[in-house]
Amino acid sequence: GGGGAGGGSESGGQGGGKKQVTVGLALSTLNNPYFVTLRDGAQKAADAAGVKLIVADAGNDLSKQTSQIEDFITQKVDVIVVNPVDSDGIVPAVQKANDAHIPVIAVDRGVNGGKVATTIASDNVEAGKMAAEALFKALGGSGKVAELEGVPGASATRDRGKGFDQAVQANSGIQVVAKQTANFDRSQGLSVMENILQANPDLNGVFAENDEMALGALQAIKNAGKAVKVVGIDGTDDALKAIKAGDMVATVAQQPEWMGKTAVEDAVKLAQGGSIDQAFTAAPLTLIDASNVDQYLK
Amino acid sequence: MSLLQVTDVHKRFPGVHALKGVSFAMEAGEIHALMGENGAGKSTLLRILSGAEPPDAGEIRLDGRPVHFTHPRQAHEAGVRVIYQEFSLIPGLSVAENIVLADLPRRGWWVDGRRVRSLARAALERLGVDLPLDTPAGQLGVAQQQLVEIAKALHGEARLLIMDEPTASLTAQEIRNLFQVVRQLAAHGVGVIFVSHRLEEVMELADRVTVLRDGETVGTLRVKEASPEEVVRRMVGRAIGEFYPQRRARIGRTVLRVEGFGAPPVVTGLTFELREGEVLGLAGLVGAGRTETAEALFGLRPHAGAVWMRDIAREEWRRIPLRSPRDAIQAGIGYLPEDRKQSGLVLRLAVRDNMTHPTLERYLAAGFVRRGKEAAAVRERARALAVRTPSIDAVVENLSGGNQQKVVLGKWLEISPRVLILDEPTRGVDVGAKVEIYRLIQEMTEQGTAVILISSDIPELLALSDRLLVLRRGRLVAEIGREEATHERVLALCSQGVGA
Amino acid sequence: MKRLHWVDYGLVIGFLALAGALTAASPVFLTWSNLMNVARQVSINGLLAAGETFVVLSAGIDISVGSTMALAGAVVAGVGLAHGFALGGLAALLVGTAVGLANGLFVVRFRVPAFIATLAMLGIARGATLIYTQGRPISGLPESFLFIGNGWLGPVPFPVVLMLATYAAAHVTLRYTAFGRYVYAVGGNARAARYAGIHTEKVLYAVYAIAGFLAAVGGIVLTSRLASADPQAGVGIELDAIAAVVLGGASLFGGEGSVLRTLLGALILGVLNNGMNLLNVSPFYQEVIKGAVILFAVVVGNWRPRSQGQFKTGG
Amino acid sequence: MKRLHWVDYGLVIGFLALAGALTAASPVFLTWSNLMNVARQVSINGLLAAGETFVVLSAGIDISVGSTMALAGAVVAGVGLAHGFALGGLAALLVGTAVGLANGLFVVRFRVPAFIATLAMLGIARGATLIYTQGRPISGLPESFLFIGNGWLGPVPFPVVLMLATYAAAHVTLRYTAFGRYVYAVGGNARAARYAGIHTEKVLYAVYAIAGFLAAVGGIVLTSRLASADPQAGVGIELDAIAAVVLGGASLFGGEGSVLRTLLGALILGVLNNGMNLLNVSPFYQEVIKGAVILFAVVVGNWRPRSQGQFKTGG
Ligand SMILES: Nc1ncnc2c1ncn2[C@@H]1O[C@H](COP(=O)(O)OP(=O)(O)OP(=O)(O)O)[C@@H](O)[C@H]1O
Ligand SMILES: Nc1ncnc2c1ncn2[C@@H]1O[C@H](COP(=O)(O)OP(=O)(O)OP(=O)(O)O)[C@@H](O)[C@H]1O
Ligand SMILES: [Mg+2]
Ligand SMILES: [Mg+2]
């Protein structure tokens, strides 16, 4: 379907010069320190380049994110950076931006349709696999393991869970005794872990699909006086501290700050009439454990 | 063949055996009164006849055929029309819609708004009243709401018209109109069941009267052959001596002075005094502003002018603030509102809670309510007032209307008021209880309480009041002493210049 | 319904004040394209809120509408891909209506408080959605289906047309049909409604069924709009739907309110979200400002001559 | 309050049936350590639900408790780290109470429907939390502070003791103080309460303040339990708190219910979550089963001799 009324010509970006460049950043959520960090990276890059950054928080609601992108289009931002709530569901919104000739950059998660100038993303499946393998290694290749899942049906839940499953299949000594959701939430991570420990007092390891749940699980394990090994994903400050303290085995850092920064830098390039040759930039995944945690701790 | 034949109907509620084998019969075209004390089971019986509640046992025949109504709809379709004692209007629907709700005229899917209004207007005209058809029923005053309830029952073709205390909040004129309509219906073969606590109404209107006592039928009398005393004796199981008590309170010093008082914009410019042990009657038609005056005196609505009370301890006049009912209560003023269900009671709470709401602080020890002490006081009060309830922890909602009224009265007696305002205190109260209430008023005034009595029952007002103030359209039009006050005079003063 | 007069008036003032402020603050706000944008964004919550209005008027509450929407959205995609979208749409509407009827069953037949019955249903429908979709979005929907959520009828987006038609129908139903009057009656005084011969149970079944049906319509629109069915769609949206209803002046105690004012409530919420984005308010401040503006709008809307409704408290 | 008898009875049966089933299904369920585990998990929602009971009894509703909890939890951590945890705790309690009073202000003074007033507050308090924490958890809390959430008093976790003490106090307040009785009066019939000389406004202020205060206590416990203040804590928990209240048989129409039954409601919800985890039920099925079990418990709990409360619908 065609766009609304109003031709976009009068505000078309005639190169750089005096015109203020505006970048719209549509984040899936700010409920999570990971995305707050991503935003901070984006903000730094925007400040450095002297462009205006508009941030929208969708609260993990796809239709809200779609609306926010529509609002960006209405405002005629120069570039939209989207961190989709869902890679499939965001396609129509991206197509609307395409129709309005506003370039789109995907960050952290890809977009499965429409035209995207570039994608800067980390591979969640790979992250899940890396974290799981770090756990299995720490367990010596065998033991009883619980998986703490994120919000059921969310894309990070699916992808990280898929990576975990792949790692489990490759490790015959690992027995998954519990698979429960704690909705990416620390307090639920705590409660659910407490319950899992009741049912499985001989548990050896926990794979948490994010660091928040891992930290909650850690608290439960500590309270129960158990020695259960925990891994998480994201590389948040609290997780790094826990690794440093020897409580947590490892986390997989996806470097949200770098992604935010790179995305905005690319956006500025596009807005100034430049182009980006690389269609996909994989954000480096780093396994952080006791051996290298000092490098990342601020 | 009788129009209605009720045989051995039983009904139990948890803790209450409300009907213990009620039987009676009535003919088409007959006006049949049901009488009985508060809680005798009249409303329960009528709810069973109207399909609102199933009987536990017994048989009901309409036109000779046994009927088993499981929903009021079926009774309605069989031509049964009911005026319930409980508030049965939909506050958000218009007057017209309320009147025709049971069979909304339709054209296909649509409600036929024009016919709704014309049918409703017809029903109201039959009753000789004029009400705004499009106003939501919730916005009307109690009296007007009652008229709507009646109009609701008059709409459509009735075989059997059941009226549970329809006159309780009506004026004399409205009652006259209603009776006329009822007689016309009866003349056209409609059977009418009429419940009222006003004996003179029953004697005037009914052909026969069936008396209920404690859930049992005591008997059926022909009104022409029965004397009022006989009916009352059957009802309460004994003769009631003097109906109205002899006024013999000693009237003392002035306790309350009201100057330039008003409840703007309805009432203005009231100046009067009230003395210890005195009963001051407020007469007026519906809408004259008596309730508003009372509410303003009780701090429920903003007032104009000043209210002074004599400070007992220091023998001096003190101007009392009336920002809220609390202020009024603190000054020793109590108020029994005219609408007990909406203003007088928290229906879902127990007798105990309702009775001690204004006085709870009295039962506190170290901040906690001493429930034992509270219970003892409430039990005592309930006994003194002869409240018929399974226990003081019974929910007020389940008490019969008259007993609810006694609970409200008990609440105000608890504060030992210096001034007690009674707004229609005997509305819906049985003869026995009425006498009780009169006796209570008598006792209170003997102890020096001053009473302001609002009543639309003029004989009652005349018999009880030492002095009468007549209000008309929010103004004081006359003050008359006990001796000069006659029914005709009061009525004339009330209605002078007020268009019918 | 004279008494509602002031509510009407006040809310309209609140709305106009808000729109005026946004027009002054943002040059794009008052453009046709942005207004249609807002209207389209409002349409889904608008559909849910229309159904919720019936339930609230009947003195009930339905907090399962978000889950029902997600379930119906998944069904239209799943069945649609397998058997065509005509059948898919039909199946989704049936499922939504069935969920609503189940709510009605528990409320009416088993006397479960509406809040609890629909809370349970919120979980059940969400779980059913996850099971049906295996927790994955269903995408790859054909272009033809996308018209419902993204198409235009002349200058107006199709979902907006759908929403407006729904409101027109709901308004007419509530005001001019016997059923509509019965909804007010049951909500205003259930006992009196029964005494007047109204089959209150049927009315209650119907209002929950309507809420479920409209949630399903919302789900179809949403799936089409996103070109995929998201199993996590509509989490928490019940609060928005109820907010629109109550903001529109309906009483949670039943019997009072109007569906047109619900639309106004939904529009206020939508305009507020749109305005925040247009003005680039920092996300952390958005919630604060939104809350403050809602309070302000209601307080302004509540202003009325003294001595009316003085005993109204609570929710 | 005799009439509530059957509700009591039924709910206890529902609860025992649930517990019995879990005992049969899982060998660990009926162990002291698991029971204490459940009790501790229930404690936070339990605290919120206790406050919510006051509001619901007064015929109001407070959906801001989750945000208030998060705000207070952030305040105790932030102020605590800067000025010590005694001051931190005090500040958190003050903030919670202030939020409650603000709710009361809007409900009473400006006659904003409770749902809307507290919905706005839900946003405002959440925004304030995000602003205060900059969207990041506040961690690094000292061991001494962690006792509140994780310590034990003999064989019982400290949060459980706190919760039980709160319920005891709430019960005594509601049953044995004038204020408590006024709450029922205001909720049952605000008009009649006013006519009886009760300062209904003060009562309403107080109930919202209590809800805010107890939400703050919950926030302190939560922060201590997690050893960090999460700005996103308690999103959506208001539904759980209200669910506990209504599951406990309180009417959303006010004036009816008891805080002890709220505790039972909260326990049912907690046991249900625990049981799901113990039995390792697939997350997709959990919601379905939870919903079904809640319905079942209420239907069982609702069973009573015929002819009582037949006009109760909605709510
Ligand atoms: N739903 C109920 N639950 C419990 N008890 C009830 C219920 N309805 C009525 N009762 C009891 O049944 C008895 C009969 O009540 P009913 O209302 O029929 O009396 P009544 O004769 O109409 O009295 P009144 O003249 O005061 O209206 C009373 O004791 C009353 O408390
Ligand atoms: N909520 C209301 N809204 C509008 N008008 C009202 C309302 N309540 C009462 N009125 C009107 O105020 C007037 C006074 O009411 P009311 O009938 O109580 O008068 P009154 O003088 O107390 O007479 P009585 O005591 O005989 O009923 C009436 O005209 C009534 O219709
Ligand atoms: Mg009666
Ligand atoms: Mg009056």
Side-chain angles (χ1 to χ4, degrees), chain B residues 60-72:
Chain B
I60 298 163
R61 284 171 181 271
L62 202 58
D63 286 325
R65 276 189 307 275
V67 288
H68 303 278
F69 299 138
T70 54
H71 193 282

Side-chain angles (χ1 to χ4, degrees), chain B residues 42-44 85 164-165 195 197 400-401:
Chain B
K42 305 179 293 294
S43 298
T44 304
Q85 193 177 11
D164 199 352
E165 302 197 37
V195 175
H197 288 294
S400 76

Side-chain angles (χ1 to χ4, degrees), chain B residues 81-346:
Chain B
R81 295 288 180 280
V82 194
I83 301 167
Y84 289 98
Q85 193 177 11
E86 306 99 307
F87 176 76
S88 298
L89 300 181
I90 312 295
L93 293 188
S94 72
V95 166
E97 285 168 334
N98 266 290
I99 291 172
V100 299
L101 188 62
D103 22 40
L104 275 180
R106 301 184 204 183
R107 266 194 316 233
W109 283 69
W110 311 112
V111 173
D112 185 344
R114 202 135 20 96
R115 280 196 63 216
V116 167
R117 303 176 90 255
S118 69
L119 289 172
R121 195 178 300 114
L124 285 170
E125 267 166 12
R126 227 164 155 182
L127 199 53
V129 296
D130 185 27
L131 289 177
L133 289 175
D134 298 321
T135 304
Q139 279 174 37
L140 300 180
V142 192
Q144 294 176 327
Q145 285 178 346
Q146 184 59 29
L147 293 172
V148 178
E149 305 253 21
I150 296 170
K152 222 170 123 176
L154 295 183
H155 159 71
E157 290 292 308
R159 291 282 293 117
L160 175 63
L161 175 63
I162 296 175
M163 304 191 290
D164 199 352
E165 302 197 37
T167 58
S169 52
L170 298 188
T171 61
Q173 181 58 46
E174 284 158 354
I175 292 172
R176 234 172 292 132
N177 290 347
L178 173 65
F179 284 7
Q180 207 183 329
V181 178
V182 168
R183 286 198 191 94
Q184 273 169 17
L185 288 173
H188 283 90
V190 176
V192 178
I193 300 181
F194 176 70
V195 175
S196 172
H197 288 294
R198 297 184 184 160
L199 200 55
E200 68 281 4
E201 286 179 356
V202 171
M203 304 308 280
E204 182 192 332
L205 186 68
D207 301 313
R208 286 193 298 170
V209 49
T210 291
V211 176
L212 290 188
R213 190 164 73 217
D214 286 335
E216 288 171 277
T217 13
V218 175
T220 301
L221 305 170
R222 249 177 211 296
V223 166
K224 282 201 199 82
E225 297 155 14
S227 69
E229 291 74 22
E230 166 78 358
V231 176
V232 170
R233 198 182 52 70
R234 292 222 182 187
M235 251 171 74
V236 293
R238 65 192 152 87
I240 291 224
E242 196 50 44
F243 191 61
Y244 295 117
Q246 207 61 44
R247 282 291 298 154
R248 57 184 150 75
R250 252 179 295 112
I251 294 180
R253 296 168 308 175
T254 309
V255 281
L256 181 81
R257 274 193 2 235
V258 168
E259 284 172 16
F261 187 79
V266 186
V267 182
T268 47
L270 289 187
T271 297
F272 64 87
E273 290 185 352
L274 187 62
R275 301 158 77 183
E276 281 172 359
E278 181 182 38
V279 176
L280 176 66
L282 279 191
L285 300 180
V286 171
R290 298 166 299 171
T291 297
E292 283 79 359
T293 305
E295 287 177 351
L297 267 176
F298 192 60
L300 279 164
R301 52 167 77 226
H303 67 272
V307 178
W308 304 79
M309 272 185 96
R310 187 194 293 279
D311 190 309
I312 318 177
R314 281 186 285 158
E315 279 301 322
E316 58 187 24
W317 285 95
R318 225 160 49 80
R319 185 168 170 178
I320 55 168
L322 289 172
R323 291 160 310 207
S324 73
R326 192 94 232 148
D327 287 338
I329 292 169
Q330 233 121 48
I333 303 177
Y335 173 50
L336 179 132
E338 66 179 334
D339 179 359
R340 65 176 168 255
K341 299 221 163 152
Q342 282 183 47
S343 319
L345 294 167
V346 184

Side-chain angles (χ1 to χ4, degrees), chain C residues 219-312:
Chain C
I220 294 171
V221 173
L222 181 67
T223 295
S224 166
R225 187 158 142 73
L226 300 177
S228 82
D230 174 12
Q232 278 301 317
V235 170
I237 201 177
E238 62 279 354
L239 286 188
D240 288 339
I242 300 169
V245 175
V246 181
L247 201 52
S251 160
L252 285 182
F253 297 93
E256 213 172 89
S258 122
V259 76
L260 292 187
R261 288 210 311 279
T262 295
L263 180 58
L264 200 55
L267 284 175
I268 289 181
L269 294 175
V271 165
L272 212 48
N273 282 327
N274 174 255
M276 295 284 173
N277 292 342
L278 293 187
L279 299 178
N280 189 24
V281 177
S282 141
F284 290 176
Y285 286 87
Q286 288 203 4
E287 293 293 302
V288 176
I289 296 175
K290 254 167 75 177
V293 172
I294 288 175
L295 283 177
F296 181 78
V298 177
V299 171
V300 167
N302 255 354
W303 181 87
R304 70 196 72 176
R306 270 237 149 239
S307 98
Q308 270 198 311
Q310 35 182 331
F311 300 113
K312 274 300 178 62

